[in-house]
Amino acid sequence: MICKVTYDGTHYIASAPGFNAYEGSRRRKEKTTPQQAFTALWRDARPKMNARERKEHIIGVLGDTFGATCDWVQFYKDEEAREDKNFFARKKRMEQKTFLNQWNYFCTFTYDGEKNTPETFEKRLRASLSHLCSRRGWRYTMVREFSPEKERMHFHGLFFVPEGEMVGTLREERSFSTRHHRMQTAHINSFFEERFGRNDFQKVNLDKKDTASVVAYLLKYLRKSGDRVIYSRHVPAEIVADIKYEHCVCRYFDWVDRFVLFDDWQHRNTPESHILEGDAVD
């Protein structure tokens, strides 16, 4: 049976074709001007201020900008709850995409003031990565980190680089980490070093346990910044697959038939496999 396969944070789930009870129920609502202002202020202040400073700052700016048009303290509470809800939606989507796709590098890119301004650093980096995705088949999921103490921006992400499609050359460089108080080894890519500054391409071969730890690491910065995850093209949150008997642990019903799959379901295809039909799995 042709099913959509997703990852719910614990198991791979296959959904059979059927009625979508939620189809058409989600409509994008137009944001009001105060909401747009809150979102911009929130994302700017989140990594730079503590909770009390952030609240006072945002309420003050909203009051100065829009006047006494509403209770800004209550408005702040409501919008803070909305931002938390949005974060958990982004978290779920990131987990789905990260566990469902394959990665072979964990990369860090660090802002260098001698090569770019903060604005041109992000713009040029994302443009370069976009070209590599289009021309060389790279894929990535990436988050932004801002260090207010050092006024320095970083990008951390999981990357898939097809064999033979790496640009530049990689060299090992050992240095002392003042943050971790130990020696560490970085793998510097010459292409990105020349254009953007310090970077690190750590080779990884992730299983589910390792992927979970990397996702938790990225989510820490996502939570800190209140920002969005940056995805390349062709990083799906679900895939379409031909599900067979030996892929399935059990079946349950949630508006449509769903099947819990074995963790290694993608490697269970055999010549004798037959397609799952109807109520074949109990």
Side-chain angles (χ1 to χ4, degrees), residues 12 21 23 27 39 46-47 59 66 90 97 103-104 112 118 146 180 207 210 223 250 256:
Y12 292 100
E23 186 173 0
R27 294 187 176 93
T39 299
R46 186 69 185 259
I59 290 175
F66 301 102
R90 292 195 293 269
K97 285 176 171 281
W103 315 100
N104 52 12
D112 185 340
F146 180 76
H180 300 289
D207 58 21
D210 291 337
R223 181 66 169 173
C250 66
V256 297

Side-chain angles (χ1 to χ4, degrees), residues 173-178 180 182-186 198 200 202:
E173 183 176 290
R174 288 183 58 79
S175 60
F176 183 79
S177 171
T178 56
H180 300 289
R182 58 182 172 82
M183 296 296 292
Q184 60 182 16
T185 301
R198 187 166 181 80
D200 189 7
Q202 294 285 348

Side-chain angles (χ1 to χ4, degrees), residues 47-250:
K48 303 176 183 178
M49 304 178 185
N50 60 38
R52 181 183 59 81
E53 293 172 340
R54 184 169 62 244
K55 181 178 180 179
E56 292 177 353
H57 170 69
I58 293 177
I59 290 175
V61 173
L62 290 174
D64 292 341
T65 304
F66 301 102
T69 55
C70 73
D71 182 351
W72 293 117
V73 174
Q74 184 60 47
F75 180 84
Y76 180 92
K77 292 180 180 178
D78 294 341
E79 291 301 299
E80 185 178 39
R82 182 178 64 85
E83 288 290 340
D84 285 340
K85 181 179 179 181
N86 290 344
F87 166 75
F88 285 107
R90 292 195 293 269
K91 174 180 180 292
K92 180 179 179 180
R93 184 170 178 81
M94 181 181 180
E95 289 173 339
Q96 289 176 332
K97 285 176 171 281
T98 304
F99 280 97
L100 200 61
N101 293 273
Q102 299 297 315
W103 315 100
N104 52 12
Y105 286 94
F106 181 79
C107 302
T108 299
F109 306 96
T110 302
Y111 164 67
D112 185 340
E114 296 183 0
K115 297 181 182 292
N116 291 280
T117 65
E119 294 76 18
T120 60
F121 169 65
E122 178 173 358
K123 184 177 180 180
R124 290 182 61 206
L125 176 62
R126 293 181 64 171
S128 293
L129 293 175
S130 177
H131 294 155
L132 291 170
C133 292
S134 300
R135 300 168 185 173
R136 292 179 174 264
W138 287 35
R139 298 195 304 270
Y140 63 84
T141 176
M142 190 168 64
V143 298
R144 184 189 294 105
E145 176 201 359
F146 180 76
S147 301
E149 301 85 5
K150 298 182 179 181
E151 292 291 327
R152 181 172 295 182
M153 185 185 297
H154 307 266
F155 286 89
H156 307 277
L158 282 169
F159 281 68
F160 173 75
V161 180
E163 186 174 354
E165 298 297 339
M166 178 63 75
V167 293
T169 58
L170 295 178
R171 76 173 192 277
E172 287 191 3
E173 183 176 290
R174 288 183 58 79
S175 60
F176 183 79
S177 171
T178 56
R179 180 177 181 181
H180 300 289
H181 305 290
R182 58 182 172 82
M183 296 296 292
Q184 60 182 16
T185 301
H187 296 79
I188 309 298
N189 181 292
S190 60
F191 175 89
F192 289 95
E193 182 183 35
E194 178 183 346
R195 290 162 176 78
F196 305 104
R198 187 166 181 80
N199 62 84
D200 189 7
F201 277 64
Q202 294 285 348
K203 185 76 173 176
V204 295
N205 185 15
L206 298 175
D207 58 21
K208 280 183 63 177
K209 182 178 179 181
D210 291 337
T211 302
S213 64
V214 172
V215 169
Y217 182 80
L218 295 177
L219 285 172
K220 177 181 70 173
Y221 293 113
L222 185 67
R223 181 66 169 173
K224 182 179 178 181
S225 67
D227 210 339
R228 296 178 181 272
V229 185
I230 303 167
Y231 300 107
S232 67
R233 293 182 179 181
H234 310 302
V235 182
E238 61 183 25
I239 60 175
V240 176
D242 196 2
I243 301 301
K244 302 176 173 62
Y245 287 120
E246 52 266 45
H247 296 159
C248 303
V249 177
C250 66

